[in-house]
Amino acid sequence: MGNAVSDCRRIYGRLWDEAVSAFERSELDFDHHLRNKDKDLRRGLTLLFRPSSEVKAVIGKFLKQLADVAPQQYFYRPEEFHTTVLAIIPGSESWQEKFQHLPAYQAIIDNVLKKHRPFSIHFQGVTASRGGVMIQGFLGDDTLEKIRDDLREAMRQNNFGGQLDVRYKINAAHITVMRFREAEADWKRVLELLKVNRAANFGEARVENLELVLGDWYASANTARTIQKFSL
């Protein structure tokens, strides 16, 4: 358990240091797709879990403060908050080619998750990247790490391993809540607000089920479709 927490702190800390430098140098990344999401045809299949309503409410208050400072940016809605367990089909415009294997994915996931129990996650503090803002999640034990490892191994055994971890290997348990869309903003005030909330408490959630969701790059509520829910 200690290693998992330490690993998350190290990941979030590295992201934070890089983000602060990017803010200070005005070298942020702006997502041009967010200016017209309807034309973004990228879709993916993601296994995820969502925070409790209590956690969503606290995050919502924090986002209201951010939106007051930088209203031109992109903010996730409460029903869109999620933590990715594993991207089964990475987001792309050619997602249909892999979606034909959906029954196999479902069987693999179901078989793996039957062996695992519910777990708790504590959301505390914010971190950022050059492209957005995240709520930090810390696990109470190594259950999520084992779930990810078991899923990766099962997918590889069924010849689906090549499509996993295409962008990066997911190790943390964050919630992305804001993405940078427009260069016009008072970035100094944004950074100060992030620093104020660097260690803020957003609450704890008990994760008892995971969702397999087909959706766009941002898990937008108007495009996301839950394919199946799996109980732990």
Side-chain angles (χ1 to χ4, degrees), residues 6-201:
S6 296
D7 287 347
C8 281
R9 291 195 184 281
R10 188 161 47 249
I11 292 169
Y12 297 142
R14 175 179 54 79
L15 287 171
W16 175 255
D17 291 341
E18 292 173 356
V20 170
S21 178
F23 272 98
E24 293 173 344
R25 298 180 182 182
S26 299
E27 294 178 349
L28 298 173
D29 292 335
F30 302 101
D31 190 338
H32 66 277
H33 290 287
L34 289 172
R35 295 172 184 171
N36 194 341
K37 279 203 307 175
D38 293 340
K39 292 185 177 180
D40 185 0
L41 302 179
R42 295 173 298 170
R43 297 290 183 272
L45 187 67
T46 305
L47 187 66
L48 54 79
F49 62 85
R50 301 187 186 279
S52 63
S53 57
E54 292 80 8
V55 171
K56 289 180 182 178
V58 180
I59 294 175
K61 292 178 182 178
F62 165 63
L63 286 189
K64 186 179 184 303
Q65 297 178 56
L66 271 178
D68 288 342
V69 173
Q72 307 92 337
Q73 307 312 311
Y74 180 84
F75 299 92
Y76 282 73
R77 292 152 54 181
E79 62 268 31
E80 297 169 340
F81 297 162
H82 69 277
T83 296
T84 296
V85 175
L86 197 64
I88 306 301
I89 301 177
S92 73
E93 292 187 10
S94 59
W95 60 274
Q96 293 97 332
E97 299 171 8
K98 296 181 177 65
F99 193 71
Q100 61 182 316
H101 300 297
L102 177 62
Y105 303 148
Q106 290 174 284
I108 292 168
I109 295 169
D110 186 56
N111 186 54
V112 168
L113 295 185
K114 284 178 180 177
K115 306 171 185 176
H116 292 281
R117 64 186 187 277
F119 58 90
S120 296
I121 179 169
H122 187 81
F123 294 102
Q124 182 165 15
V126 302
T127 189
S129 67
R130 290 176 55 168
V133 174
M134 293 153 278
I135 305 298
Q136 300 177 152
F138 298 96
L139 284 306
D141 58 30
D142 60 358
T143 299
L144 179 57
E145 182 181 6
K146 289 181 177 178
I147 288 174
R148 284 171 169 159
D149 287 344
D150 288 354
L151 285 169
R152 288 182 175 111
E153 181 59 28
M155 290 285 283
R156 290 191 188 100
Q157 290 178 0
N158 286 272
N159 299 315
F160 298 126
Q163 66 198 49
L164 303 178
D165 303 317
V166 174
R167 294 175 60 214
Y168 59 88
K169 185 175 182 179
I170 298 173
N171 290 313
H174 61 277
I175 300 174
T176 300
V177 294
M178 173 187 181
R179 291 184 184 270
F180 306 146
R181 177 171 54 189
E182 305 289 345
E184 182 184 349
D186 188 340
W187 295 111
K188 183 177 180 180
R189 288 184 63 198
V190 171
L191 180 57
E192 288 305 314
L193 183 56
L194 296 182
K195 288 180 177 179
V196 168
N197 289 275
R198 185 74 177 100
N201 181 23

